[in-house]
Amino acid sequence: MRAAAALAAILSLSPGLGLAGPRVMSLDQCADQYVLALSPRQDIVALSTRARNADSYLRTEAIGLPERRATAESILGAAPQIVVRNWGGDDLLLRDLERRRIRILNIEDVTDFAGVAANIRRVAAGLNAVPAGERLIRRMNAELATAAGAGRGRGVYYLTSGGDTAGPDVLVGAMIRAAGFANLDTRPGYSVISLEGLLLHPPGLLVLGFFDQDMAASERWSVGREAALRRLVRGRQSVSLPASILGCPAWFAADGAAALAAWARAHPWGG
């Protein structure tokens, strides 16, 4: 009896030695971030093949963990009890997993931070990691509270290296709004920029997305390759948001609002 009590005490002090949690696999790079943040390493049977890419937010934490493609053969070989996904796996694969009683946790493509919090709570509950999920939400909300109002309503224009922009009803729009800036593009969703309009009426601040990955280099016909646009970018005040915070509706989207707020406080009069 004394030995059993001693073992229970040790396990209570050492979470990594306790009862095993559900075996978890992530099917895409966005899901990797959730799994790495919410699951103990010993419960992660595989990450996606993009988990250590330069645009993966938790790429350092992924080192040493197995990576597998989102195919039926690969998933069944890893034998997860739960798979987490945002865009990975087609409908046929997902139906097959459901038939095999493998639970699927979906990360929704949300457009605001309330939606991000809902994503975190849903995945955390499915992974038996509610306290860890609440910590992520508190961290996100603290960043948003610090960023609030910093832009004082000044206008900004979001621009990707591929020549796209975003309206107020997507997550990048929520980042801009959270930092107290006004999005100068009011069209819904994502759209190709009007190069002529942008050159005739250049904004005071450009919010650059994916320029660290230079997506335009792989998009041969993209407006992002136009020399005039490149000159505009070099000649304007800008905040560059890394691809690692833009590709997933997750808590670290608040890093974008924090970066914009930091720029606003360093440039209180817009320049």
Side-chain angles (χ1 to χ4, degrees), residues 37-54:
L38 295 172
S39 288
R41 289 179 72 85
Q42 67 268 21
D43 295 339
I44 301 173
V45 297
L47 301 170
S48 84
T49 56
R50 293 179 55 179
R52 290 180 292 150
N53 284 12

Side-chain angles (χ1 to χ4, degrees), residues 110-222:
V110 298
T111 60
D112 57 28
F113 287 99
V116 171
N119 270 337
I120 295 169
R121 288 194 169 106
R122 182 172 55 259
V123 176
L127 297 178
N128 298 326
V130 170
E134 292 303 313
R135 284 193 294 273
L136 292 179
I137 293 171
R138 286 196 296 272
R139 174 206 146 168
M140 177 181 76
N141 288 340
E143 275 197 292
L144 295 175
T146 300
R152 298 183 180 181
R154 285 177 282 176
V156 301
Y157 194 91
Y158 177 71
L159 174 67
T160 74
S161 61
D164 296 317
T165 187
D169 61 338
V170 296
L171 193 53
V172 171
M175 293 183 205
I176 292 169
R177 191 164 56 251
F181 287 94
N183 192 339
L184 294 177
D185 195 311
T186 59
R187 294 173 295 176
Y190 295 94
S191 53
V192 177
I193 66 164
S194 167
L195 180 55
E196 181 180 1
L198 192 58
L199 294 174
L200 287 174
H201 304 286
L205 176 64
L206 286 170
V207 179
L208 306 178
F210 299 100
F211 273 68
D212 59 325
Q213 298 294 298
D214 196 18
M215 290 174 62
S218 63
E219 297 178 17
R220 184 175 179 185
W221 304 111
S222 169

Side-chain angles (χ1 to χ4, degrees), residues 218-262:
S218 63
E219 297 178 17
R220 184 175 179 185
W221 304 111
S222 169
V223 68
R225 293 176 62 87
E226 293 284 347
L229 183 59
R230 296 290 183 166
R231 286 194 297 270
L232 174 70
V233 169
R234 288 194 296 268
R236 308 302 295 179
Q237 295 276 0
S238 65
V239 177
S240 187
L241 302 180
S244 61
I245 70 169
L246 294 172
C248 179
W251 62 95
F252 44 79
D255 293 3
L260 289 169

Side-chain angles (χ1 to χ4, degrees), residues 1-70:
M1 292 291 291
R2 285 196 296 269
L7 177 59
I10 292 171
L11 292 177
S12 69
L13 294 174
S14 306
L17 297 176
L19 295 175
R23 291 168 56 85
V24 182
M25 178 174 174
S26 48
L27 301 190
D28 54 65
Q29 190 181 55
C30 181
D32 293 334
Q33 315 314 311
Y34 277 79
V35 168
L36 286 165
L38 295 172
S39 288
R41 289 179 72 85
Q42 67 268 21
D43 295 339
I44 301 173
V45 297
L47 301 170
S48 84
T49 56
R50 293 179 55 179
R52 290 180 292 150
N53 284 12
D55 57 345
S56 174
Y57 189 78
L58 295 177
R59 55 192 175 276
T60 300
E61 287 81 350
I63 295 171
L65 290 169
E67 298 176 6
R68 285 178 176 257
R69 297 173 58 208

